[in-house]
Amino acid sequence: MDTALAKAWVAAAADAVSGEAEGLSRLDAAIGDGDHGTNMDRGLTAARTAVDGLEADGPGPVLVKTGMTMISRVGGASGPLYGTLLRTAGKRLEGPEAGVADLAAALRAGLDAVQKMGAAKPGDKTLVDALSPAVEALEKAAGQGTPLSEAAEAAAAAAEQGAQATVPLQARKGRASYLGERSIGHEDPGAASSALLMRALAGVCRA
């Protein structure tokens, strides 16, 4: 991954979330405030503009800028969580290019920071349920010497499966946890948007 690919990822993620904004908000309306899609759309649209003209010497600064923009522009818990994920990952990426192992390590650091912030673990019905298997898939791919395009596809598939797996879970973190058993039967919107981000990455790596 180089600067151009990182910028393409942000743009593709913005397009994906924009296209699914209403659906994400519907998911959120069932177990939250109902504004997740709107908030994520606003944040990623702003991030795309912010990184478009950014002079960066590698993917790291692009992700850092994206994360900072998400923190400043996205309301609720999503801004700090996604912002922390991307900013932390970006800080771990040094140099003009990042390989699969570099990206896996960076996103692992970002995921660890998110889990520390939200005290969430897999099974709590949060974005961690999509991000954790995605990072694990990248780490496995890195260990096998898999090309980035295939590694990103594996990560996207794992994230999508993880998001779907939140449907039967009872929420244990965030606003949805207040619903108790009523949160069962709904896909977590944060996991859904995380899966969209990983699918966007797979798309630009394949192009």
Side-chain angles (χ1 to χ4, degrees):
M1 173 181 284
D2 56 13
T3 301
L5 188 59
K7 289 184 176 183
W9 180 18
V10 176
D15 286 340
V17 168
S18 179
E20 296 293 334
E22 290 187 9
L24 290 172
S25 289
R26 280 197 299 271
L27 291 177
D28 194 33
I31 58 175
D33 294 328
D35 58 1
H36 184 65
T38 302
N39 285 341
M40 290 294 292
D41 185 18
R42 180 173 62 250
L44 283 168
T45 297
R48 171 165 49 187
T49 300
V51 304
D52 186 47
L54 181 69
E55 293 187 9
D57 56 1
V62 175
L63 296 189
V64 169
K65 185 68 172 179
T66 301
M68 293 174 62
T69 304
M70 294 292 285
I71 290 173
S72 66
R73 298 297 296 271
V74 180
S78 298
L81 290 172
Y82 276 105
T84 295
L85 170 72
L86 295 168
R87 186 173 64 174
T88 302
K91 288 182 177 180
R92 287 291 299 267
L93 296 176
E94 299 179 353
E97 294 187 355
V100 176
D102 300 319
L103 185 59
L107 288 175
R108 170 61 68 184
L111 175 60
D112 287 346
V114 165
Q115 290 189 259
K116 184 177 181 180
M117 173 181 286
K121 61 184 184 298
D124 284 341
K125 200 181 182 91
T126 70
L127 75 170
V128 171
D129 287 298
L131 291 175
S132 184
V135 171
E136 289 174 1
L138 281 176
E139 291 171 337
K140 181 179 179 180
Q144 296 174 339
T146 304
L148 179 58
S149 59
E150 295 178 22
E153 176 60 37
E160 289 164 349
Q161 291 172 8
Q164 283 296 312
T166 64
V167 173
L169 298 178
Q170 179 174 327
R172 303 192 184 281
K173 295 293 179 182
R175 186 177 180 86
S177 65
Y178 301 149
L179 297 177
E181 292 184 355
R182 286 182 295 160
S183 64
I184 296 173
H186 303 281
E187 183 179 358
D188 179 72
S193 60
S194 293
L196 288 175
L197 264 62
M198 297 311 299
R199 176 53 62 190
L201 175 62
V204 297
C205 289
R206 186 173 58 247

